[in-house]
Amino acid sequence: PRVGGAQISKLLRKIKLLLLLPLRVLFLTPDEKRGFGPHLEKAALDEIAEKDYSLIYATSPPFSVLLTAIEVKRKTGLPLILEIKDDWVQPNQFLGLRWHRRFIESRMERKCMASADRVITVTRKSCEGYKSRYPEFQEKFICIPNGCDVSEYQPYWSDAPASFDKFTLIHSGVITGTRN
């Protein structure tokens, strides 16, 4: 069979990606947003220099934001609150990564937990998981559950049925085979 230019181009692209994979793992750990860290750090430091802020509040994912936040804390001395909406190093999702990536990200997470003045999680299970992984920082963790005050939305639900005839599931997040 004959090989066309498109097939050669596709093969070269795959080879390039394969060769760059180790570099991506090193430089884009924990996530693909890591490259924005220096820009985010500069913007945060410029903002803090212009106005009077009393703390740094960082939310994740992406987890690279937490790494930038601890650098901003180090340079400003401001207290740091981290809000973690999805656990970073969680066994069910973390097992698919190679050992060196698990090692690097575990160290990154530990550094963030050590640097934070307070860590907010959005589920009790997550909060308990962090407390068990980092018993030396137990007092830092607090759970503020996801949710809302349903009564605030009552005016908008006037046309909604009082009850549903069928099962209804509403999920605002990601469902994967590893999440329960």
Side-chain angles (χ1 to χ4, degrees):
R2 296 181 61 176
V3 177
Q7 291 167 322
I8 291 172
S9 177
K10 189 175 179 181
L11 178 65
L12 290 174
R13 191 170 37 247
K14 284 184 179 184
I15 291 170
K16 184 171 85 171
L17 285 173
L18 244 139
L19 293 174
L20 292 177
L21 186 61
L23 293 176
R24 284 183 25 216
V25 168
L26 282 176
F27 295 110
L28 297 180
T29 299
D31 52 58
E32 70 281 352
K33 306 290 191 252
R34 182 73 187 266
F36 293 109
H39 305 291
L40 176 59
E41 182 179 329
K42 182 183 180 327
L45 292 171
D46 289 349
E47 180 70 19
I48 290 168
E50 287 181 22
K51 297 180 182 157
D52 186 28
Y53 287 92
S54 56
L55 62 87
I56 301 161
Y57 190 98
T59 186
S60 68
F63 301 107
S64 54
V65 169
L66 304 183
L67 298 171
T68 302
I70 64 173
E71 282 304 306
V72 173
K73 174 188 176 160
R74 188 180 63 77
K75 292 179 178 178
T76 63
L78 290 171
L80 173 62
I81 298 174
L82 302 179
E83 179 186 25
I84 301 176
K85 294 180 185 278
D86 293 320
D87 291 1
W88 183 350
V89 177
Q90 47 184 321
N92 58 355
Q93 291 183 345
F94 211 54
L95 293 175
L97 299 177
R98 295 188 183 267
W99 68 268
H100 60 281
R101 180 84 180 261
R102 288 194 309 266
F103 176 78
I104 291 168
E105 290 195 44
S106 292
R107 292 186 58 120
M108 287 176 168
E109 183 183 70
R110 175 171 287 285
K111 184 177 180 181
C112 290
M113 298 308 115
S115 299
D117 293 282
R118 192 64 101 165
V119 179
I120 299 169
T121 65
V122 296
T123 66
R124 285 179 188 83
K125 184 177 179 183
S126 176
C127 190
E128 293 308 315
Y130 276 103
K131 285 179 178 181
S132 70
R133 277 201 307 279
Y134 303 105
E136 68 274 29
F137 305 130
Q138 277 203 20
E139 73 286 349
K140 293 183 181 189
F141 299 102
I142 184 171
C143 176
I144 301 177
N146 279 334
C148 65
D149 182 351
V150 176
S151 66
E152 292 179 10
Y153 295 93
Q154 290 297 331
Y156 306 105
W157 292 348
S158 60
D159 58 346
S163 64
F164 297 98
D165 294 332
K166 296 180 180 179
F167 175 77
T168 303
L169 173 68
I170 299 172
H171 177 71
S172 171
V174 178
I175 297 177
T176 65
T178 57
R179 303 212 62 192
N180 59 18

